[in-house]
Amino acid sequence: MAPLEMQTALPQPAGKPAYRDGNVLRWLSAYTVSLVGDSVYFVALAWSAQKAAGPTEVGLVMAAGALPRALLMLGGGVLADRIDPRRVILGSDALRCLLILSVAAVIALSAPALWILVAVALVFGAVDALFVPAIGALPARITSSDQLARVTGMRSLSMRLSQIAGPPIGGLAMGFGGPAAAFTVAGLLFALSLPLLLTIRMLPLGEHGQQQPEPGTAWKDLLDGLRYIRRHRLIGPLVAAGAICELGLTGTLNVGMVLLNAERGWGPSGYGWIVSSFGAGAAASAALLAITGWLPRAGLLLAGTLLVGCTGAATIALVPTLWIAIVLAAVIGLSAGVFGSLDNALIQTAADPAYLGRVTSVVMLTMLGLAPLSYPLVGAAIGTWGAAPVFVGCGIFASLGVVIALASGAVRRAELPRQRPAVST
């Protein structure tokens, strides 16, 4: 097992930047294509559900995948660490491709029955529980540690691109050929990622100075991974701060923003401008890390940007005009993006690669499993007290993550590995 003390971030040997590394670019291309496929799939699922049933059933279909994803996510992390994560990703994308293309064929021959859509969502969510931890464990096995921050920024940009490109592609497919065509496009995108993944070269664990731990039972491996997170002086506080942030801000910035917009009467265009502004800020933060590959005083900067994001989220319901809310949304997106990127990059560089699947599964469980639990609570609270006090309360709660981060000496001293300049001869 890796030492529990945070190791000093020493300069790394000069190497190829991630944006010029064909191995990283092939992985990023496969990941982007797969994410666009995800977006197209969700468009197809939502519209198919809307055609098959009423609003309540649409919500049931869209939420169905969350349950197996949350229940199986930790097990997916164990699998990613026990098996080559690339093989898990290949298997997951192959299963998703076959599932979605089969659904497209069934829907082309008959109407999109509600039970079929629920079954698809359940299976897709279960496969996602395998895919997500493996994709989190892969970067440390395809590039050097000094490039992981840059890869994190590139990955965040990929996510933003997929969110921009996926829904219009899904909408066009629906317009031309209905749900069957949209599901077909999603399945083909998953298929396209497979040859790219096959060409990725994996670095053995030994190249990172770590050894694969002795295999045990899946349950033992899971408990071992949880103990590893709890005892690690840097990863433990980072995971805890991220979880508090997700619980406090996710529901507020998703459900709460819709209700705030309705309360203020800003209309659909106003809501669109706020969401776009937040996305632009988050994309700018991803571009910053992708270009620079390193930021100074990473631990303190992480805590500072989280504080800015929490303050912005607490005050956006208090501003008097739409344009101020739009500007504030950009600040929140930028600060939240920097915090998320640094949190992910520090975890990636500090973790023993043999545990990264399990570490990623815990991080993603807080985002995909626990954070959505706040949605109905935020909605009910705003219905009772109005938007302003709920936004302020959630911002204050999320700022407890800042306290956790600053209370940890390892977080305060944390630095990203920095590449040593090449020596000319």
Side-chain angles (χ1 to χ4, degrees):
M1 183 183 294
L4 300 181
E5 296 280 352
M6 179 198 172
Q7 300 195 7
T8 304
L10 298 175
Q12 303 292 316
K16 188 181 294 185
Y19 56 79
R20 294 172 54 192
D21 187 338
N23 202 42
V24 173
L25 293 178
R26 288 190 297 273
W27 164 77
L28 188 67
S29 299
Y31 181 57
T32 303
V33 168
S34 185
L35 285 178
V36 174
D38 275 343
S39 294
V40 174
Y41 156 75
F42 282 113
V43 169
L45 187 69
W47 278 99
S48 299
Q50 184 268 334
K51 281 178 165 290
T56 301
E57 289 78 9
V58 172
L60 172 65
V61 170
M62 298 306 294
L67 181 60
R69 188 184 296 116
L71 291 177
L72 301 176
M73 185 73 73
L74 296 180
V78 171
L79 185 65
D81 287 335
R82 290 169 72 96
I83 304 176
D84 179 343
R86 186 187 62 164
R87 290 168 57 191
V88 178
I89 296 169
L90 277 165
S92 300
D93 265 354
L95 283 173
R96 296 199 293 184
C97 174
L98 292 173
L99 172 68
I100 300 308
L101 290 179
S102 298
V103 174
V106 170
I107 290 178
L109 298 174
S110 63
L114 183 63
W115 72 267
I116 293 177
L117 299 177
V118 171
V120 169
L122 288 170
V123 176
F124 196 92
V127 177
D128 247 10
L130 306 180
F131 176 84
V132 171
I135 205 70
L138 194 61
R141 299 288 302 277
I142 62 174
T143 190
S144 56
S145 60
D146 64 298
Q147 293 299 313
L148 284 174
R150 180 171 278 127
V151 169
T152 297
M154 294 166 68
R155 181 181 172 187
S156 297
L157 276 176
S158 173
M159 293 172 64
R160 296 297 168 187
L161 175 62
S162 70
Q163 291 168 354
I164 294 170
I169 292 173
L172 285 173
M174 289 285 296
F176 279 112
F183 278 116
T184 299
V185 170
L188 292 177
L189 286 167
F190 293 137
L192 183 59
S193 71
L194 298 176
L196 292 168
L197 289 168
L198 284 169
T199 63
I200 294 174
R201 178 178 60 86
M202 297 284 290
L203 301 175
L205 289 175
E207 292 193 18
H208 295 272
Q210 308 293 349
Q211 298 297 324
Q212 179 71 44
E214 290 295 323
T217 64
W219 180 249
K220 179 180 178 298
D221 286 353
L222 174 58
L223 294 179
D224 189 33
L226 295 175
R227 282 193 293 267
Y228 175 78
I229 294 170
R230 179 173 59 83
R231 294 174 180 174
H232 200 290
R233 295 189 176 182
L234 177 61
I235 295 176
L238 288 177
V239 170
I244 293 294
C245 173
E246 291 291 340
L247 287 171
L249 298 185
T250 300
T252 308
L253 297 177
N254 287 295
V255 176
M257 197 63 70
V258 175
L259 299 175
L260 171 65
N261 187 76
E263 187 178 286
R264 294 299 182 86
W266 289 333
S269 62
Y271 177 71
W273 277 109
I274 291 174
V275 173
S276 297
S277 183
F278 179 89
S285 70
L288 173 67
L289 200 56
I291 293 169
T292 63
W294 183 84
L295 291 173
R297 298 184 179 275
L300 290 176
L301 183 58
L302 173 148
T305 52
L306 177 56
L307 180 59
V308 172
C310 293
T311 304
T315 57
I316 196 169
L318 304 176
V319 299
T321 58
L322 175 60
W323 73 267
I324 299 178
I326 292 172
V327 172
L328 196 52
V331 173
I332 297 170
L334 179 64
S335 57
V338 172
F339 163 76
S341 295
L342 287 176
D343 189 61
N344 185 273
L346 287 171
I347 289 173
Q348 287 271 327
T349 54
D352 181 337
Y355 287 89
L356 259 176
R358 281 163 285 181
V359 172
T360 301
S361 70
V362 172
V363 172
M364 297 308 294
L365 180 62
T366 64
M367 295 175 61
L368 302 177
L370 299 181
L373 297 178
S374 66
Y375 289 4
L377 297 177
V378 169
I382 290 178
T384 303
W385 297 299
V390 175
F391 271 71
V392 171
C394 288
I396 292 173
F397 175 80
S399 66
L400 293 176
V402 181
V403 176
I404 292 173
L406 292 178
S408 167
V411 174
R412 295 196 304 272
R413 296 188 298 270
E415 294 283 2
L416 293 170
R418 193 170 189 179
Q419 187 180 39
R420 179 185 299 163
V423 179
S424 59
T425 57

